[in-house]
């Protein structure tokens, strides 16, 4: 039997430079699809802008702020409300007033009116569902929507957080006695204005928000209240007050009798008349 001569085989080994060349060649063969994800991994994430919604703003003010922040034509956010799928109570009938919770919200290039409105309503529902607010509302026989409505009046009427509990007590006391609330803030909402001065003719307007002539809470919230007003709505300060008036900045007077209240209103009128700013009569419970 014959055997052919075969020279011994040598196993080739790649040098460090050779291995690097092979690696780079493989990447080039795979194409840009491999390189792009590697490069993108080092991108700097987008820094959100901030949109501040103050306590007590009404829905139109919130809509306008969103339009400005997103650089949209005026009215764009309002038009988005019906199709935004907002988680509102049935009582709201699609109106988000009272549920556009005041806070600072992040805004990015992906933000839209619908995403911002959704976040605001979700936050309001979370605040109303906190144990203190939810349990307090139930103790007073109020639904979350009624709590938001009462809180919106407190937000509008109280000069500061220190007075919120007392304003809430006035509302609860009046409701318990079947007295009209007679709140100037609801008149302002009906007339789409904001003023300290309410004329006698204002209290006679034909509106469901005229709490001088109609008993009970107004049909909807009149602004978007914060957590402080919500908490006050369900845990009012103990007291027998039925009236209040803010005589001057930092001086709100609460009264249990109408006679006492009239003295405070007279002082309110004197102060504003001397300042040359008096245009009308202060309401029985108005600021």
């Amino acid at each position: 039997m014959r055997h052919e001569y075969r020279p011994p085989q040598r196993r080739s080994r790649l040098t460090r430079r050779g291995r690097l060349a092979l690696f780079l060649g493989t990447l080039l063969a795979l194409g840009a699809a491999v390189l792009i994800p590697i490069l993108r991994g080092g991108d700097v994430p987008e820094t959100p802008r901030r949109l501040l919604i103050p306590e007590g703003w009404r829905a139109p003010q919130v809509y306008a702020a969103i339009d400005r922040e997103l650089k949209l034509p005026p009215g764009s956010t309002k038009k988005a409300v019906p199709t935004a799928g907002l988680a509102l109570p049935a009582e709201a009938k699609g109106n988000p007033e009272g549920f556009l919770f005041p806070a600072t919200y992040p805004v990015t290039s992906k933000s839209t009116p619908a995403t911002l409105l959704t976040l605001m309503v979700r936050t309001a529902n979370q605040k109303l569902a906190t144990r203190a607010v939810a349990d307090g509302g139930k103790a007073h026989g109020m639904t979350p929507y009624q709590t938001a409505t009462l809180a919106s009046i407190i937000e509008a009427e109280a000069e500061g957080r220190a007075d919120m509990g007392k304003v809430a007590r006035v509302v609860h006391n009046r409701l318990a006695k079947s007295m009209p609330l007679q709140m100037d803030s609801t008149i302002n909402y009906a007339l789409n204005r904001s003023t300290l001065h309410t004329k006698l003719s204002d209290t006679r307007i034909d509106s469901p928000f005229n709490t001088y002539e109609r008993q009970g809470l107004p049909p909807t919230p009149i602004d978007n209240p914060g957590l402080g007003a919500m908490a006050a709505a369900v845990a009012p300060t103990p007291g027998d007050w039925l009236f209040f008036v803010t005589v001057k900045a930092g001086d709100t007077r609460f009264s249990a009798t109408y006679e006492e209240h009239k003295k405070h209103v007279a002082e309110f009128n004197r102060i504003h008349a001397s300042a040359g700013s008096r245009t009308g009569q202060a309401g029985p419970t108005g600021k």
Side-chain angles (χ1 to χ4, degrees), residues 52-237:
L52 172 63
I53 304 300
E55 295 174 344
W57 265 16
R58 298 172 185 167
Q61 293 173 288
V62 178
Y63 300 155
I66 294 175
D67 286 342
R68 288 193 299 270
E69 184 62 38
L70 298 183
K71 295 179 174 55
L72 297 173
S76 298
T77 299
K78 183 178 180 179
K79 291 179 182 178
V81 171
T83 58
L86 304 178
L88 297 168
E91 300 155 278
K93 299 178 181 178
N95 177 11
E97 189 75 89
F99 285 76
L100 302 176
F101 192 80
T104 299
Y105 294 95
V107 180
T108 69
S109 58
K110 295 182 179 180
S111 296
T112 66
T115 61
L116 289 173
L117 292 172
T118 297
L119 181 56
M120 292 176 187
V121 172
R122 182 189 307 137
T123 305
N125 284 325
Q126 290 172 346
K127 301 301 181 182
L128 287 165
T130 57
R131 185 169 183 177
V133 176
D135 290 353
K138 291 177 182 177
H140 287 284
M142 297 189 302
T143 66
Y145 193 72
Q146 290 171 326
T147 297
T149 301
L150 199 161
S152 72
I153 293 176
I154 296 168
E155 193 73 71
E157 292 284 347
E159 187 183 23
R161 186 157 297 200
D163 287 335
M164 285 184 172
K166 291 183 176 181
V167 172
R169 175 52 64 189
V170 170
V171 175
H172 279 282
N173 286 347
R174 283 183 161 255
L175 290 173
K177 291 179 177 292
S178 297
M179 296 174 65
L181 298 185
Q182 296 183 316
M183 297 289 171
D184 294 352
S185 57
T186 64
I187 298 291
N188 285 339
Y189 189 76
L191 297 175
N192 192 29
R193 70 182 189 188
S194 180
T195 179
L196 293 175
H197 310 304
T198 300
K199 301 176 182 178
L200 183 60
S201 58
D202 294 336
T203 66
R204 295 172 178 168
I205 63 172
D206 182 16
S207 169
F209 293 92
N210 184 353
T211 55
Y212 278 82
E213 293 191 345
R214 303 188 183 215
Q215 290 187 352
L217 294 171
T220 75
I222 60 172
D223 59 47
N224 294 282
L227 184 58
M230 290 179 180
V234 301
T237 304

